[in-house]
Each structure stands twice: as structure tokens, then as C-alpha cells.
Amino acid sequence: MTDLRVGLASDADRYLATDQTVWFAEVLSASTEEQLLGLPVDQRFAVDVDGADPATYPGIYGVFPMTLAIPGAADAPRQVPCAGLTWVGVHPDHRRKGILTTMLRHHFEEVHAAPGTHVSALHASEPAIYGRHGYGLASHELVVTLSRGATLTAPDLEDAAGTITTQMATATDPGVPARLRECHLAVAELGSVVGEQAYYERVCQQLPENLRGKEPWRVLFARRDGVDVGFAAFRRNEKWEHARPSSTLDAWAVVGEPATRLALLRRLLDFDLVSTVKVGTVGADDPLVLWAGGPRATGGIETYDSLWIRLVDLPEALMDRAWSAPCDVVVDVVDRAAPWNEGRWRIRADDTGAATVERSEADADVRLPVAALGSGYLGGANLLGLARAGLVTEQRRGAARELWHALRADVTPVAAVGF
């Protein structure tokens, strides 16, 4: 069997060349470190084997250090460290040799050994892959299309929205990455991921090849009493049809509490020379659809998977979050990739929202893959629904319902920004 060695990627050019081979996008003229902006040197990993092409690695992956907003006390999300898995790729010459499995096991071991980090998360390029490695789909994203000038109705938010002023900046303006991070951290809702400042520097990066026929990314900051309370990142694509403006405004994310988002969205819907506004990173239960008058009042809604979550240190991850109801359930967890999670655990949550998770020799009430707990971790994916679908096995009648009622959250997780 081929000896696969996983470690830090010592050659940044080789790392980048591997990514370019796997994803086959246009090769950019920027320097290697410019293209790797935001991905810490000590979080770039690669697989090597004897006889491999010295210009590329057989496989690579990276990690963005992030925080994840999970259920907390008094309905306020709690932000915990999260390993944002990214830049995953296997060279075409080395497929089906166990490289992805080896890299992910290395990743889980790295996270498990890191003090205070108990979960990994990702956005899946191919969703079928990551469920096999213990990631569960924890939130959904909508992309909502609206016509310019669309009316958003929210009577009880009018006064609060009226206190918001907006200020437009360009992503490359000095200080914008720091403002984005500080604001995002302050208003993060359940299911949000927030990166370090280098992540926002990457978001704001404007390389020439990415600007062909497009304007630079703009940021619309929402302010109240001189303080940033939200933002919208967007850009417009110039287009004319029959001598009439027909441009599309693409909003990558609109961040803030509801009244703030209402004010930002109304501003986005009122730009000159724009005919269509597409808003991405919209949560499954985001009020935007209600403000617009329902799904048929929009120009269309597309639904995608958003954040996939993997419990790397199962007991610690489950004890990190607040629980919404008491429960006493023994779960038999299947986790081949992180064997320290495998086996039976007794989950006891009390009426204060705290839980203990300990090894147990008792008969299991529920048998489930670790991915199911990842899906339910933010309180959005219905564990009882997974049992009805045959993806979770209930061995004590009512146990899946009991566990789900303790896991669920009052609000659906928001969609997470891409990384």
C-alpha cells in the first residue's frame, strides 16, 4: 500500500499549483502569497508520496480559524472556535487511493488535539462526499431574486429601520476588512461563522482577473448612532438591453438584526440602472421572503445546502451548546473516522439548558451516525425527521423525539458566509 504522508505544506507554489490543477480555473497573475491570502501558513496541509510530481502535491487541504454561533443561554447564540475546512483537493493522478480519507482523518486528529476546538465545518462542493466522513447538513441557504423597487413590508420594524443610516464603501478602502469582522462578530446569529481578520482581507481582495466586466465589490455599512450595526457586500454587473438599463446587483451577504437588514435591503433595491437584485446567503426562515409578500412575490428562490458540521470531540461539542429541554438519552454513535467518538454516550440535559455527556454501558435508546448529530447541532435539522427517513434508528420508542426536542432551537440557523 502506498505510504501517504500528511503534514504542513512546505512549498506554497506547489500547494497553489495543486489547487489550480484540481479546480482548473483561470491561472491568476497575482503572486502565490496574494492568492493564498487569509489561509494561515500553519493551516495549509498536504499529502506527499514517494515518486510524486515535485510540481504538485497528491492532495491538499486548508483550515480557516473561525468561530461558530451555536445555541446559547437566554436565546443568545454562543460563539465557539470552529475549524473551517477549505481548499480540499486531490490531484487527478491520485484519485481513488484513499487520499481524501487520509487527509480528513488527519484533520480530525489535528482538531481533536487543538485545545478548545471541538467542531469542524465546511461548505461542500460535492455534498455526497462529506456525509460519508461524518459531516451533517446543519443549515440551508436561499438565493432570492427581486425586482428593483420591490416593496418590503414590515410595519413593526419601521421605527427601528428609520434610525439606520447607510454608507457605501469599496472593499479595498482602508479599514474595511477590520470593520467587516468587528461588525460580523458583534451581530452573529445562530449558525453564523466569523473568520479572523485575514479572512475578511481575502473577501475584500480585488484581483484583476476577477474584475473583468465587473465593478469591485462594494460594502454598504449600516450605522446607528455612528456605530456599524450591519453590512451588505455587493456588486453590479453592467448590462443594457434595447437601450435600457438591465443590470443585476448581486448581494453576497446582508448581515445585521432584522431592522438593520430591512434598511440595507431597501437601499439595495433602489440603485439606479439596476433591474434585478439577487440576494444570497439568505437563511431558510429569513424574513426577506415574508417582507416581499411570500415566495411567489419574488422573482424566484433557489435553495442550496449551506453549512455542514462535523463533531470532532463529541462530548465536548455537545456540552458547549445550550439545550432547549430536559432529556436523558443513551445514543450509540457510529463514527469510523474519529474512533474516539464511537460507541454509547449518555446525554443528560436539565431544565437550565446545561448537559452532561458521558460514556455509558447502558442499552442504547437511539443509534445514529455522527453526521446526524452534526445536522442537529445548531437545532435546525429535525432529528425526528431523520428517524422517520430511516437515517436514525430509534431503539426506545419516543427517544428520537426526546432528543430532538432537547436539541432544537427556537429560530432556524442562518446561512453561513462562504469560505
Side-chain angles (χ1 to χ4, degrees), residues 87-256:
W87 284 70
V88 181
V90 176
H91 191 286
D93 286 345
H94 295 273
R95 293 180 66 244
R96 306 195 187 285
K97 296 179 181 178
I99 287 177
L100 178 61
T101 297
T102 300
M103 290 196 300
L104 290 178
R105 287 185 178 176
H106 178 268
H107 173 57
F108 302 151
E109 289 167 359
E110 288 282 310
V111 174
H112 192 237
T117 303
H118 306 134
V119 296
S120 172
L122 57 80
H123 291 276
S125 55
E126 296 187 71
I129 293 175
Y130 291 96
R132 298 198 298 267
H133 295 278
Y135 287 87
L137 177 56
S139 62
H140 291 81
E141 173 186 359
L142 308 180
V143 177
V144 181
T145 299
L146 299 167
S147 298
R148 177 179 183 246
T151 300
L152 302 182
T153 305
D156 289 345
L157 295 180
E158 291 298 338
D159 289 346
T163 67
I164 299 293
T165 60
T166 57
Q167 177 188 63
M168 194 166 81
T170 299
T172 52
D173 289 346
V176 167
R179 289 177 68 184
L180 286 175
R181 184 181 189 275
E182 182 178 358
C183 183
H184 202 184
L185 195 62
V187 301
E189 297 179 275
L190 179 64
S192 295
V193 290
V194 178
E196 296 184 342
Q197 181 165 327
Y199 164 79
Y200 294 91
E201 291 171 356
R202 181 177 185 82
V203 168
C204 292
Q205 187 182 48
Q206 307 287 291
L207 299 178
E209 292 86 352
N210 296 329
L211 290 174
R212 292 193 182 112
K214 299 174 182 176
E215 72 168 333
W217 281 99
R218 310 288 187 183
V219 180
L220 193 63
F221 284 103
R223 298 171 63 79
R224 181 185 285 119
D225 299 327
V227 176
D228 292 335
V229 293
F231 64 83
F234 71 95
R235 68 178 173 188
R236 296 156 294 181
N237 298 324
E238 183 185 21
K239 185 179 179 182
W240 292 75
E241 290 184 345
H242 307 296
R244 296 178 180 177
S246 186
S247 299
T248 296
L249 183 153
D250 287 300
W252 171 64
V254 181
V255 172

Side-chain angles (χ1 to χ4, degrees), residues 52-76:
D53 180 355
T56 56
Y57 287 109
I60 60 169
Y61 80 87
V63 177
F64 285 123
M66 311 192 94
T67 62
L68 170 66
I70 65 175
D75 297 327

